[in-house]
Amino acid sequence: MRKGKLNFFGCILSLLAIVFVTYGQESEPIVLPENSKYKEPVSKVWFNTYGNIRIGKRFFWDAQTHFRFEETENTPFIGQIAQVYNRHAIGYIYDKKTNFSLGGVVRVNFNTDEESTDRNVVPEWRIWHQYQFAMPLYSAMLYHRIRIEHRWTQGFAENSEYIFRNRWRYMFRAKIPLNDTKLKPKTYYISPEAELIMQSGKAVVASPMEDLRLTTTLGYIATPRLTFAAGLMYSQGQDRVFAGDYKQGWTLRFHMYFSPDFRRIKNKLPEIHMTD
């Protein structure tokens, strides 16, 4: 039985490898360097808001806004504004521990290259769908999140064409209460998190691993509808064009989670585990 399972997972991994290679092929061969190279880490600061707004018995509005800063030569540490996200979706609550979302993203990218003479701002467009599953473990809550994004990106050069890519994201997160046995108001919690982001498309030839993110967050549940958190993330991933180069980053992340519910009391469902 165990051998059969290993063979099954081996087949799955082989199929995934074929998919990424097939999607990433181009007519001209890519010459890779003999050794990979890690770039110097870049510091970033992210300010994020996450809203789960109930709009029906089973439906909610997932409203997210992110402000992301990145260091530059002349503005170290916090740096300059690099991206502004507007991510929205309509979510469906399947049960207390499972929900799905489908929506769109408008990301505004700012050119942080201080020596560049290209455009300063370009938009990026995405369609995304997400599948989140929560499972209790003693006093903690574990989350599995699968997010798939279809994105259209454009360079800062004038009249540059849009390129299309898919992103395949899996995240595992735990929320562990520190001063209580339950995740409830007035509780502090720690949240370790790991997310792997893969990419595919014609423009992705030898760089399928876009990002690996490892984060530890400390949070505080102020009320049933409001939570604050802050954490530190280390990330690394391949440069899309120069696949032998790996980018690195250290990111301070600050979050606010809010979940208003304007429905009448008789229409409300019991509490569900769908925050963040």
Side-chain angles (χ1 to χ4, degrees):
M1 182 67 178
R2 184 174 298 176
K3 185 176 180 181
K5 288 184 177 179
L6 291 175
N7 290 336
F8 172 77
F9 285 115
C11 291
I12 293 297
L13 291 174
S14 298
L15 287 172
L16 286 174
I18 292 171
V19 168
F20 282 116
V21 171
T22 302
Y23 272 104
Q25 285 180 340
E26 284 188 349
S27 58
E28 297 182 0
I30 298 299
V31 179
L32 296 177
E34 292 184 0
N35 300 301
S36 60
K37 180 179 68 176
Y38 280 82
K39 297 181 179 181
E40 286 296 319
V42 176
S43 68
K44 306 175 185 179
V45 179
W46 294 358
F47 299 95
N48 309 321
T49 65
Y50 300 86
N52 284 320
I53 305 167
R54 293 294 292 274
I55 57 176
K57 185 176 181 179
R58 291 286 179 180
F59 291 93
F60 64 95
W61 171 22
D62 191 340
Q64 303 179 20
T65 304
H66 301 174
F67 298 91
R68 299 183 175 182
F69 295 80
E70 182 176 318
E71 74 169 340
T72 63
E73 188 69 26
N74 294 327
T75 52
F77 188 52
I78 292 182
Q80 298 181 6
I81 185 72
Q83 298 99 26
V84 175
Y85 275 78
N86 275 290
R87 178 185 285 124
H88 298 271
I90 297 298
Y92 176 76
I93 303 164
Y94 179 76
D95 59 29
K96 289 180 65 176
K97 298 181 178 65
T98 308
N99 64 82
F100 316 112
S101 300
L102 172 64
V105 180
V106 178
R107 187 175 101 161
V108 181
N109 297 317
F110 295 84
N111 191 349
T112 57
D113 184 355
E114 294 169 327
E115 297 181 357
S116 174
T117 58
D118 295 325
R119 294 177 296 175
N120 291 322
V121 181
V122 296
E124 177 179 323
W125 313 94
R126 299 182 188 178
I127 297 172
W128 67 291
H129 38 112
Q130 177 175 292
Y131 313 88
Q132 182 167 263
F133 311 91
M135 50 188 297
L137 180 65
Y138 299 105
S139 61
M141 187 65 69
L142 308 181
Y143 297 88
H144 301 272
R145 190 186 75 188
I146 299 170
R147 179 182 291 174
I148 301 172
E149 299 176 333
H150 315 286
R151 64 190 301 204
W152 290 263
T153 61
Q154 186 183 36
F156 290 103
E158 197 69 40
N159 299 320
S160 60
E161 296 183 355
Y162 277 97
I163 63 173
F164 174 76
R165 284 174 287 165
N166 291 304
R167 299 176 96 201
W168 315 87
R169 305 174 57 168
Y170 169 73
M171 187 195 69
F172 174 78
R173 174 195 287 129
K175 291 177 70 173
I176 306 167
L178 296 177
N179 61 329
D180 208 312
T181 58
K182 294 183 179 180
L183 292 164
K184 61 181 184 179
K186 313 303 180 185
T187 301
Y188 291 92
Y189 66 86
I190 190 169
S191 180
E193 171 188 317
E195 183 176 20
L196 176 63
I197 304 177
M198 305 293 285
Q199 61 177 340
S200 63
K202 289 183 178 181
V204 182
V205 179
S207 52
M209 195 189 87
E210 183 177 352
D211 223 0
L212 173 64
R213 299 175 177 178
L214 304 174
T215 309
T216 299
T217 300
L218 181 65
Y220 176 70
I221 305 173
T223 72
R225 304 294 180 191
L226 187 62
T227 296
F228 299 97
L232 179 65
M233 178 180 76
Y234 169 75
S235 62
Q236 68 170 33
Q238 291 177 284
D239 187 284
R240 182 182 63 82
V241 179
F242 303 102
D245 292 349
Y246 283 78
K247 302 170 291 183
Q248 298 184 90
W250 289 98
T251 306
L252 285 172
R253 305 202 305 179
F254 300 91
H255 310 302
M256 181 181 73
Y257 304 95
F258 60 98
S259 52
D261 190 340
F262 302 109
R263 298 168 302 143
R264 294 180 180 179
I265 294 178
K266 67 178 183 179
N267 293 328
K268 293 185 179 181
L269 290 175
E271 181 181 1
I272 59 174
H273 306 289
M274 68 174 188
T275 55
D276 67 21

